[in-house]
Amino acid sequence: MAEPILEVSGLVKHYPLTRGIVFRKQVGAVRAVDGVDFRLGRGETLGIVGESGCGKSTVAKMLVNLERPTAGSIRYKGEDITRLSGKALKAVRRNIQMVFQDPYTSLNPRMTVGDIIGEPYDIHPEVAPKGDRRRRVRELLDVVGLNPEYINRYPHQFSGGQRQRIGIARGLALRPEVIVADEPVSALDVSVQAQVINLMDRLQSEFDLAYVFIAHDLSIVRHISNRVGVMYLGRIVETGTDTEIYEHPTHPYTQALLSAVPVPDPEAREHRERIILSGDVPSPTNIPSGCRFRTRCWKAQERCALEVPALAVPAWFEAAGGPAAHDSACHFAEEKHVVPAEGDGDGPG
Ligand SMILES: Nc1ncnc2c1ncn2[C@@H]1O[C@H](COP(=O)(O)OP(=O)(O)OP(=O)(O)O)[C@@H](O)[C@H]1O
Ligand SMILES: [Mg+2]
């Protein structure tokens, strides 16, 4: 892997669960993020995938300091940013920017596009002197494929895809090194999703950006990710290169997620097995003992209720010469042939 720019270790976010209005009493905790580790290389994309409520946005918010972790560290170029405050924190935050999911609600409807994209300069005036801001904003509009003449328009005058371009331009304003994109295309029409992903791909090479790209669906992150982490109930249960995850998934949860991705090729469709998971995702206030996936897993045995499986290269996989960077948190991790999710390079959807 490229030199790490971000290293996350033992990241935890628990929200207290309280009862009573006058005498608030803590009766438990929502374990939204419950021990997440990953490394992000310079200029690389890590895709984070998982069902609703598994803690993806909470991870994203901690990365950009919108939430404080309950425990764990986030190292940016070796320095733990969870321990920084004041000027030092502000300087680091500039380098890690976020692009939000919903371009309809994340842009202030009363502000012009120029003011929205230029707003980060109010917080970091050192990046762009006042007299130079309009020029920079026009340049940013151009970079994301929008007409610089639109600088005085308002968000409602744009389509969903264009609004997300505005969100991306704003994310780029401070020339960050890392962009955390929390489901940047989920709110968009399928036909527009590919355009926005292609734009992000181009910007990545143009500005040497590293992405944490969050999505519900494995098919969306496939083309943009170098590595993928699959999350379940607050933890990463499997991680590896995109090829490893899509073609040789070893965790039952990843196998189930992949089997649900539509396959366009009829012949490939015939050869694959559809795995339907039983039951619902347990509540993050009441996470099962041992392996947190066991209540929905068809492989679960007694051991799974007793021992938490470590996120590591399965022993048999290592012995068989499998890549060391493919970790799976399952006592019974096993490679299974899953037909690749898509045909060749025709974008997501
Ligand atoms: N401020 C909060 N207080 C209490 N619980 C919270 C808070 N924020 C999030 N949660 C809970 O933490 C869990 C993880 O939420 P999060 O938004 O990170 O999930 P997600 O993976 O982003 O889901 P989605 O795919 O729906 O966006 C959920 O159960 C959610 O209800
Ligand atoms: Mg979310």
Side-chain angles (χ1 to χ4, degrees):
M1 183 182 93
E3 180 197 340
I5 190 158
L6 216 54
E7 282 179 276
V8 167
S9 151
L11 197 62
V12 170
K13 181 71 195 183
H14 290 178
Y15 294 103
L17 198 64
T18 55
R19 204 151 283 157
I21 296 161
V22 183
F23 300 103
R24 291 191 139 246
K25 193 173 149 207
Q26 189 172 339
V27 290
V30 181
R31 289 153 70 183
V33 175
D34 207 27
V36 160
D37 305 272
F38 64 79
R39 284 150 64 102
L40 178 69
R42 226 171 244 286
E44 192 185 67
T45 300
L46 171 72
I48 295 186
V49 173
E51 284 167 290
S52 188
C54 73
K56 304 179 298 291
S57 295
T58 308
V59 168
K61 286 180 201 155
M62 289 191 279
L63 294 178
V64 298
N65 201 38
L66 288 174
E67 287 278 11
R68 260 202 178 278
T70 307
S73 63
I74 301 169
R75 286 179 195 285
Y76 169 75
K77 293 182 176 168
E79 187 170 31
D80 186 357
I81 62 174
T82 64
R83 297 181 186 284
L84 298 178
S85 57
K87 268 198 176 141
L89 177 64
K90 200 172 155 191
V92 167
R93 283 184 73 172
R94 194 192 128 186
N95 287 305
I96 310 173
Q97 293 291 316
M98 182 135 162
V99 171
F100 294 91
Q101 168 170 4
D102 190 348
Y104 296 91
T105 58
S106 60
L107 305 180
N108 186 338
R110 291 193 190 83
M111 282 167 74
T112 64
V113 164
D115 290 338
I116 290 172
I117 298 175
E119 199 181 24
Y121 299 135
D122 293 340
I123 304 155
H124 291 274
E126 75 281 7
V127 180
K130 265 229 144 73
D132 194 32
R133 288 192 191 173
R134 302 244 343 142
R135 187 192 61 82
R136 284 188 183 237
V137 169
R138 295 170 81 94
E139 199 178 300
L140 283 163
L141 282 167
D142 187 49
V143 157
V144 299
L146 292 173
N147 187 341
E149 301 306 314
Y150 294 168
I151 190 163
N152 293 320
R153 295 196 180 180
Y154 289 87
H156 74 264
Q157 295 174 287
F158 294 89
S159 68
Q162 288 175 323
R163 285 187 211 207
Q164 197 52 298
R165 286 172 194 263
I166 295 166
I168 292 169
R170 180 190 156 99
L172 287 175
L174 300 172
R175 292 299 296 270
E177 292 178 289
V178 180
I179 286 195
V180 179
D182 187 7
E183 307 214 35
V185 300
S186 304
L188 304 177
D189 289 345
V190 172
S191 59
V192 182
Q193 290 184 345
Q195 294 168 13
V196 172
I197 288 184
N198 289 343
L199 168 70
M200 290 187 66
D201 212 13
R202 175 169 67 72
L203 295 173
Q204 177 163 48
S205 19
E206 213 169 310
F207 299 104
D208 197 23
L209 294 165
Y211 288 146
V212 176
F213 193 107
I214 293 170
H216 258 84
D217 185 332
L218 274 157
S219 64
I220 303 258
V221 297
R222 169 135 214 199
H223 292 282
I224 196 158
S225 303
N226 304 102
R227 283 180 310 120
V228 175
V230 177
M231 263 186 99
Y232 185 78
L233 261 186
R235 276 208 189 203
I236 291 181
V237 295
E238 181 164 11
T239 176
T241 62
D242 61 328
T243 317
E244 281 299 312
I245 295 293
Y246 288 90
E247 286 170 28
H248 312 283
T250 67
H251 195 288
Y253 181 57
T254 313
Q255 292 168 354
L257 279 187
L258 272 174
S259 86
V261 171
V263 174
D265 173 7
E267 203 183 325
R269 204 181 304 144
E270 214 169 276
H271 286 101
R272 73 123 164 226
E273 188 188 335
R274 182 80 197 255
I275 304 164
I276 312 249
L277 292 177
S278 58
D280 293 324
V281 185
S283 160
T285 57
N286 190 14
I287 291 177
S289 68
C291 171
R292 57 193 61 213
F293 181 59
R294 71 177 161 84
T295 54
R296 298 173 77 200
C297 184
W298 65 95
K299 282 186 180 174
Q301 297 183 25
E302 210 179 312
R303 180 181 173 193
C304 304
L306 302 171
E307 270 176 63
V308 177
L311 181 62
V313 184
W316 66 266
F317 196 71
E318 207 170 1
H326 183 171
D327 295 342
S328 191
C330 173
H331 295 307
F332 304 102
E334 202 180 352
E335 187 181 333
K336 179 169 193 158
H337 182 71
V338 172
V339 175
E342 278 177 75
D344 279 334
D346 44 13

